[in-house]
């Protein structure tokens, strides 16, 4: 909007514009136009015909950009580059530094109008001449959660009993002993079975470097040379990049879009019909970067521009993205070193063989290309490969792997290629092909492939979307084995939603095997979720051996305390009908299950109890198993206070006002809240909701500060020597314990202040003659009104304290 300014008087009086004009004229001798300006005897800053200096209010493409100094030359205006840049005109200008540029010379890309009545200039410029604006969006908002971390020790246990008509009764108890100290986690897993000794199944020491997003591990680790090459369990060390420590970071290639704004506009960005951003921007080129997307494949984008006059324009485009590629400059790596770990029939661990190095590294070379390397070697044998993931514009994604191995002097090779095109439209095709030699393999693999392993395998897939009604997927593959036999299989599946929210899934599979008749299998299932969380499903299968029918009913237990159950029955082609039934119960102190399965003639029964003993915050807690991270909620002295995690009720505080929560997720924002309905009205809570995050297998204590708020009473006096003087009608201030209150002392020095908890306060009482500072101690009291008796401020002592 143009700022309206009155025109300065021409004859009498000097306004601000006139003062600026005089200053400008004083500088004219140093100006290249000085001689010409003096000859023409141009007026001061008034916008009259002729030439001379001018200060005017400028609007650029309807947006007020400020007041600027310029030279008027008849019906033209002359401005230097710096002034044009401060206005927002930075592109397509040919003037050198210090040289003035004629606005008329910029036509037709720029038009201007000088309004002499109010000393303003209106400029309409091609948006391509304006300063561009870059806006970097965020796929996920940075976390504002508070990191909680306490040294802790906990034991997860799972006690199981199994009774079967085919074997003796059995007992087992998988155990996990974990400790967390200053962010360092030590985790040991054991298993006990009746008739056997306690066996260690896994041990790990884990440290997360959150600054570098890097995890360091020692003990039993999984080494990998790449997810398309190989992996093995080791006893050793491992280091890998873990972007999961910062969920706000999006590692995929960013999506960018541009729009040219003719004037100040409101911009809305839509991805696949969902609005992901809204903002207001000045005229010029708008560069939107890091636009959110949540899936791989072909998508549709739309930018809706609503300009200053309410006119709307739409920019539509398509894009192809992949969450499997890395953004330019990002690294993803995984390095391991150790010896092979194996497990015998009794579950005991063994470490043997030569030490092996396993490594994989991927790098975002460009937003369309992520190459990678993979390697495993024990010093003599090795396997290595090169990978590449590529975006083919809007035509899909291609993945390539070429690898070689040399073990005991024998070489082998492998090649993989897969192409995919994902779209929300009608068709989404895919192709894949793998070929390997008989001696290809990893350091710990057999020297030659099994005769029934595939020499090569290739195939295709096709997904067809039928709007919102159904989806159909077909897949076909063909392979040749090392024994020269050929196999082939094909699958056709359909998923749809019937009336009343009944889901229908059907699948037909046909397999061609060597020296055997083709195998056919048809499977169909119906399912419906009720509003109370109950799920009912029925399925039917038919294969070469006959028909199978089944029905299942399931109600999952709540996140908090409560029951859940499941039941099912299956009628196979041969044999007895079998059934299953399971009852689950979740409690603050553990989880319990009872189950029955098998036929009516030979049923099997099982029972289990699982939970955890947690030592944290100087206290012991019995809770459910800690599967990821935990928190201990404290509402001191408040029992039966309901606690929620992510807005789901999970339990109530005990008699001490404490509840252990094993439901948290490491490095994620966990919202914890309490229901203040059970807190007496004379207690204050600092906050009833907190957002926290935890480290790996760690946690901490969350204290919802509760303070007992009382009314304090008493009588206030000034002490001067041996005399007491009533402080009636004096002012009183109290500061401390999160409280800052001012009040007036009543008749006879009566004190009445609400909302004060026990503790120490810096106090002041004062009037027109007295000003006394002292420390007021408010003791604990069970009474609603805490009577302090006589409150005396010693003027002499206060004066001594104030002396330097």
């Amino acid at each position: 909007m143009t700022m309206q300014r009155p025109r300065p008087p021409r004859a009498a009086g000097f306004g601000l514009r006139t003062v600026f004009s005089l200053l400008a004229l004083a500088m004219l001798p140093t100006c290249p136009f000085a001689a010409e300006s003096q000859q023409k005897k141009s007026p001061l800053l008034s916008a009259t015909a002729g030439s001379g200096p001018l200060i005017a209010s400028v609007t650029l493409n309807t947006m007020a950009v400020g007041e600027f100094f310029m030279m008027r030359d008849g019906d033209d205006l002359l401005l230097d580059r710096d002034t044009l840049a401060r206005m927002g005109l930075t592109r397509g200008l040919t003037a050198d530094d210090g040289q003035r540029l004629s606005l008329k010379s910029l036509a037709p890309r720029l038009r201007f109008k000088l309004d002499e009545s109010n000393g303003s200039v209106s400029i309409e410029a091609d948006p391509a001449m304006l300063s561009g604006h870059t806006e970097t969006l965020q796929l996920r908002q940075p976390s504002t959660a508070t990191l909680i971390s306490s040294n802790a020790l906990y034991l997860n246990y799972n006690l199981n009993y199994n009774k079967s008509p085919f074997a003796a009764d059995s007992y087992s108890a998988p155990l996990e002993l974990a400790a967390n100290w200053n962010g360092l986690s030590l985790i040991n897993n054991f298993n006990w079975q009746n008739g056997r000794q306690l066996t260690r199944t896994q041990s790990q020491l884990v440290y997360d470097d959150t600054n570098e997003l890097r995890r360091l591990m020692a003990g039993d680790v999984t080494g990998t040379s790449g997810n398309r090459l190989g992996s093995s369990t080791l006893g050793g060390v491992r280091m890998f990049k873990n972007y999961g420590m910062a969920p706000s970071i999006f590692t995929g290639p960013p999506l960018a879009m541009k729009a040219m704004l003719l004037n100040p506009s409101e911009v809305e960005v839509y991805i696949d019909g969902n609005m992901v951003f809204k903002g207001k921007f000045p005229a010029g080129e708008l560069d939107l970067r890091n636009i959110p997307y949540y899936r791989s494949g072909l998508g549709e984008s739309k930018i809706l521009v609503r300009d200053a006059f309410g006119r709307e324009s739409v920019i539509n485009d398509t894009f192809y993205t992949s969450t499997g590629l890395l953004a330019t400059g990002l690294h993803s790596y995984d390095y391991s070193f150790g010896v092979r770990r194996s497990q015998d029939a009794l579950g005991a661990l063994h470490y043997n063989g030569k030490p092996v190095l396993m490594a994989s590294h991927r790098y975002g070379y460009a937003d369309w290309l992520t190459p990678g390397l993979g390697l495993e070697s024990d010093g003599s044998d090795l396997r290595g490969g090169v990978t590449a993931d590529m975006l083919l514009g809007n035509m899909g994604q291609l993945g390539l792997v070429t690898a070689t191995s040399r073990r005991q002097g024998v070489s082998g090779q492998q090649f993989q290629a897969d192409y995919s095109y994902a779209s929300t439209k009608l068709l989404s095709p895919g192709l894949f092909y793998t070929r390997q030699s008989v001696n290809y393999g990893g350091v710990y693999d057999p020297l030659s492939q099994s005769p029934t392993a595939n020499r090569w395998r290739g195939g295709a897939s096709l997904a067809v979307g039928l709007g919102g009604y159904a989806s159909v997927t077909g897949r076909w593959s063909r392979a040749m084995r090392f024994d020269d036999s050929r196999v082939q299989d094909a699958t056709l599946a359909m998923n749809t939603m019937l009336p009343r929210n009944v889901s229908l899934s059907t699948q037909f599979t046909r397999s061609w095997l060597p020296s055997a008749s083709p195998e056919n299998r048809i499977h169909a299932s119906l399912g419906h979720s009720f509003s109370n969380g109950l799920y009912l499903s029925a399925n039917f299968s038919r294969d070469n051996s006959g028909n199978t029918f089944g029905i299942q009913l399931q109600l999952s237990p709540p996140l908090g305390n409560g029951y859940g159950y499941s039941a099912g029955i299956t009628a196979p082609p041969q044999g007895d009908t079998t059934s299953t039934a399971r009852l689950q119960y979740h409690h603050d102190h553990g989880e319990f299950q009872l189950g029955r399965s098998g036929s009516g003639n030979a049923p099997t029964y099982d029972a289990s109890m699982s939970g955890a003993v947690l030592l944290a915050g100087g206290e012991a807690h019995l809770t459910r198993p800690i599967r990821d991270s935990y928190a201990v909620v404290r509402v001191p002295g408040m029992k039966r206070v309901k606690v929620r995690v992510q807005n789901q009720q999970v339990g109530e505080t005990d008699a001490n006002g404490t509840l252990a929560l094993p439901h948290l997720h490491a490095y994620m924002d966990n919202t914890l809240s309490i229901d203040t309905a059970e807190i007496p009205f004379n207690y204050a809570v600092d906050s009833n909701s907190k957002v926290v995050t935890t480290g790996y297998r760690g946690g901490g204590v969350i204290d919802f500060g509760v303070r007992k708020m009382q009314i304090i009473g008493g009588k206030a006096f000034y002490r001067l020597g041996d005399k007491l003087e009533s402080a009636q009608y004096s002012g009183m201030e109290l500061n401390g314990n999160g409280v800052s209150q001012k009040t007036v002392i009543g008749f006879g020095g009566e004190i009445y202040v609400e909302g004060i908890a026990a503790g120490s306060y810096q106090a002041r009482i004062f009037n027109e003659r007295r000003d006394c500072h002292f420390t007021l101690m408010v003791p604990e009291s069970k009474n609603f009104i805490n009577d302090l008796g006589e409150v005396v401020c010693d003027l002499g002592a206060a004066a001594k304290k104030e002396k330097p």
Side-chain angles (χ1 to χ4, degrees):
M1 183 177 70
T2 303
M3 185 181 297
Q4 301 296 325
R5 297 182 179 273
R7 180 182 177 188
R10 297 193 182 207
F14 289 87
L16 182 62
R17 193 182 301 274
T18 305
V19 174
F20 285 157
S21 301
L22 290 173
L23 292 174
L25 286 174
M27 294 186 293
L28 284 178
T30 63
C31 168
F33 296 88
E36 180 183 356
S37 301
Q38 289 175 339
Q39 289 174 2
K40 293 187 178 181
K41 308 226 181 253
S42 112
L44 299 179
L45 283 169
S46 56
T48 57
S51 301
L54 176 68
I55 290 180
S57 299
V58 178
T59 60
L60 180 62
N61 287 28
T62 75
M63 183 178 179
V65 292
E67 291 187 342
F68 298 91
F69 174 79
M70 60 193 74
M71 295 296 296
R72 180 175 178 181
D73 185 12
D75 61 350
D76 198 3
L77 295 176
L78 307 176
L79 294 91
D80 58 42
R81 286 181 62 92
D82 290 342
T83 302
L84 291 170
R86 282 185 279 116
M87 288 181 182
L89 288 160
T90 59
R91 301 180 179 181
L93 305 179
T94 58
D96 296 329
D97 291 342
Q99 178 184 353
R100 287 191 172 89
L101 193 66
S102 162
L103 293 190
K104 289 186 67 175
S105 68
L106 299 176
R109 294 185 301 153
L110 181 145
R111 300 187 302 274
F112 71 94
K113 180 180 179 181
L114 174 64
D115 189 338
E116 298 186 13
S117 64
N118 59 17
S120 66
V121 176
S122 175
I123 300 176
E124 294 291 333
D126 184 341
M129 302 178 65
L130 305 181
S131 303
H133 183 87
T134 299
E135 182 75 11
T136 300
L137 283 60
Q138 291 190 351
L139 185 68
R140 304 178 180 95
Q141 293 298 318
S143 174
T144 58
T146 301
L147 175 66
I148 57 173
S149 179
S150 298
N151 296 336
L153 177 70
Y154 58 88
L155 173 69
N156 284 328
Y157 60 87
N158 185 5
L159 309 178
N160 299 287
Y161 167 74
N162 186 276
K163 181 179 179 59
S164 171
F166 309 107
D169 295 358
S170 65
Y171 302 87
S172 64
L175 305 171
E176 181 181 68
L177 181 62
N180 191 279
W181 181 74
N182 289 341
L184 185 67
S185 298
L186 176 61
I187 305 161
N188 287 281
N189 293 91
F190 304 90
N191 188 45
W192 174 84
Q193 289 181 299
N194 58 318
R196 298 182 183 179
Q197 293 182 342
L198 182 69
T199 304
R200 183 180 64 86
T201 56
Q202 180 174 273
S203 296
Q204 291 182 338
L205 184 66
V206 182
Y207 175 74
D208 281 348
D209 183 349
T210 54
N211 293 324
E212 298 295 331
L213 304 181
R214 180 170 53 205
R215 177 166 292 173
L216 306 173
M217 305 178 68
D220 299 308
V221 300
T222 299
T224 177
S225 52
N227 61 358
R228 285 179 287 186
L229 291 179
S231 63
S232 183
T233 55
L234 305 175
V237 294
R238 180 187 180 194
M239 177 181 71
F240 64 97
K241 195 77 169 179
N242 186 3
Y243 287 106
M245 296 181 197
S248 60
I249 294 179
F250 182 69
T251 59
L255 176 62
M257 299 170 62
K258 293 184 178 182
M260 191 66 73
L261 308 182
L262 301 178
N263 49 53
S265 305
E266 183 179 76
V267 174
E268 296 176 1
V269 181
Y270 294 82
I271 298 296
D272 293 334
N274 300 311
M275 187 171 70
V276 296
F277 177 76
K278 183 177 182 179
K280 293 182 179 181
F281 301 96
E285 184 181 66
L286 174 62
D287 186 3
L288 297 171
R289 299 180 180 179
N290 201 29
I291 298 175
Y293 65 92
Y294 300 91
R295 63 175 183 84
S296 298
L298 186 69
E300 295 182 342
S301 64
K302 181 178 77 172
I303 298 180
L304 174 64
V305 178
R306 189 176 295 108
D307 69 12
F309 305 103
R311 297 172 299 199
E312 292 186 354
S313 59
V314 176
I315 303 171
N316 291 305
D317 199 3
T318 58
F319 59 87
Y320 201 96
T321 55
S322 172
T323 57
L325 273 72
L326 294 173
T328 301
L330 288 187
H331 293 261
S332 177
Y333 55 80
D334 195 328
Y335 299 100
S336 302
F337 181 78
V339 296
R340 187 179 188 182
R341 190 198 77 168
S342 59
Q343 199 167 16
D344 61 25
L346 298 178
L349 297 178
H350 300 277
Y351 303 91
N352 48 50
K354 297 172 63 177
V356 64
L357 170 69
M358 305 188 76
S360 67
H361 199 122
R362 300 174 71 230
Y363 173 67
Y365 176 79
D367 287 345
W368 63 272
L369 174 62
T370 298
L373 296 173
L375 174 69
E376 57 184 86
S377 174
D378 63 1
S380 55
D381 294 346
L382 65 85
R383 171 169 63 179
V386 178
T387 67
D389 293 287
M390 295 174 281
L391 285 179
L392 307 177
N394 281 2
M395 301 303 294
Q397 178 178 345
L398 178 64
L400 297 173
V401 178
T402 178
T404 185
S405 65
R406 184 169 183 82
R407 301 169 300 157
Q408 301 179 31
V410 180
S411 298
Q413 294 81 35
Q414 186 190 64
F415 173 76
Q416 302 176 41
D418 61 88
Y419 165 81
S420 62
Y421 177 88
S423 170
T424 57
K425 298 298 183 181
L426 185 61
L427 301 177
S428 296
L431 298 169
F432 58 92
Y433 178 78
T434 299
R435 187 179 187 93
Q436 62 185 350
S437 61
V438 69
N439 296 123
Y440 171 80
V443 171
Y444 291 135
D445 293 335
L447 186 59
S448 62
Q449 299 280 348
S450 166
T452 58
N454 293 326
R455 184 191 304 272
W456 60 261
R457 182 173 180 263
S461 64
L462 181 65
V464 180
L466 303 178
Y469 301 101
S471 63
V472 179
T473 303
R475 183 180 178 90
W476 167 82
S477 71
R478 183 177 177 84
M480 174 178 283
R481 297 172 173 174
F482 285 106
D483 61 5
D484 292 330
S485 63
R486 295 177 183 267
V487 294
Q488 188 174 205
D489 63 82
T491 300
L492 183 65
M494 184 185 74
N495 296 289
T496 187
M497 188 66 70
L498 302 177
R500 298 184 179 276
N501 291 324
V502 175
S503 61
L504 171 63
S505 299
T506 58
Q507 179 175 299
F508 171 75
T509 302
R510 184 178 178 91
S511 300
W512 292 267
L513 302 174
S515 306
S517 301
E519 293 184 357
N520 299 313
R521 180 179 176 85
I522 299 174
H523 179 82
S525 64
L526 291 168
H528 176 67
S529 293
F530 296 89
S531 57
N532 62 354
L534 187 66
Y535 182 73
L536 176 64
S537 65
N539 59 80
F540 169 79
S541 299
R542 179 178 176 83
D543 56 23
N544 291 11
S545 61
N547 301 329
T548 301
F549 176 79
I551 187 168
Q552 293 83 34
L553 183 68
Q554 180 177 341
L555 178 68
S556 298
L559 182 62
N561 298 343
Y563 292 90
Y565 55 85
S566 62
I569 186 170
T570 302
Q574 293 94 23
D576 297 330
T577 298
T578 61
S579 63
T580 60
R582 185 163 299 278
L583 177 65
Q584 300 168 277
Y585 176 63
H586 287 180
H587 187 265
D588 289 341
H589 302 319
E591 298 175 356
F592 308 88
Q593 292 191 45
L594 292 173
R596 179 192 181 279
S597 60
S599 65
N601 298 327
T604 296
Y605 299 93
D606 65 88
S608 69
M609 179 179 70
S610 58
V613 180
L614 169 65
L615 300 178
E619 297 177 344
H621 307 273
L622 295 177
T623 183
R624 294 192 218 167
I626 300 172
R627 298 184 174 95
D628 190 347
S629 296
Y630 70 90
V632 176
V633 171
R634 287 178 177 170
V635 190
M638 298 294 139
K639 62 181 179 180
R640 301 188 64 81
V641 175
K642 295 180 175 62
V643 180
R644 293 184 174 87
V645 175
Q646 312 296 59
N647 210 31
Q648 295 187 59
Q649 184 174 327
V650 294
E652 298 179 349
T653 57
D654 60 18
N656 297 319
T658 302
L659 177 65
L661 302 176
H663 316 287
L664 274 60
H665 298 286
Y667 301 111
M668 302 294 291
D669 287 5
N670 300 272
T671 302
L672 277 65
S673 60
I674 59 173
D675 187 350
T676 58
E678 296 297 326
I679 298 177
F681 73 93
N682 60 322
Y683 283 80
V685 182
D686 294 335
S687 173
N688 68 342
S689 179
K690 295 186 179 183
V691 181
V692 300
T693 187
T694 66
Y696 176 74
R697 302 305 299 271
V701 178
I702 304 172
D703 198 337
F704 286 88
V706 176
R707 303 187 310 276
K708 185 177 182 180
M709 309 305 290
Q710 296 172 299
I711 297 172
I712 62 170
K715 288 193 175 184
F717 296 90
Y718 297 105
R719 181 191 298 276
L720 187 56
D722 295 332
K723 284 184 62 177
L724 290 180
E725 178 183 306
S726 175
Q728 65 181 3
Y729 308 134
S730 293
M732 184 174 186
E733 294 180 355
L734 292 176
N735 292 283
N737 298 320
V739 171
S740 180
Q741 284 207 33
K742 296 180 180 180
T743 188
V744 177
I745 299 172
F747 175 76
E750 290 287 346
I751 298 174
Y752 183 90
V753 186
E754 296 180 347
I756 300 296
S760 176
Y761 296 85
Q762 295 303 310
R764 175 189 177 216
I765 55 176
F766 57 93
N767 57 29
E768 66 276 4
R769 295 182 302 113
R770 308 277 190 246
D771 193 345
C772 190
H773 297 258
F774 65 105
T775 298
L776 177 66
M777 298 300 299
V778 179
E780 292 283 351
S781 175
K782 297 181 179 180
N783 299 322
F784 181 58
I785 298 179
N786 194 349
D787 190 352
L788 304 182
E790 290 186 353
V791 176
V792 179
C793 183
D794 192 330
L795 286 165
K800 290 178 182 178
K801 289 181 180 179
E802 291 176 1
K803 289 182 180 180

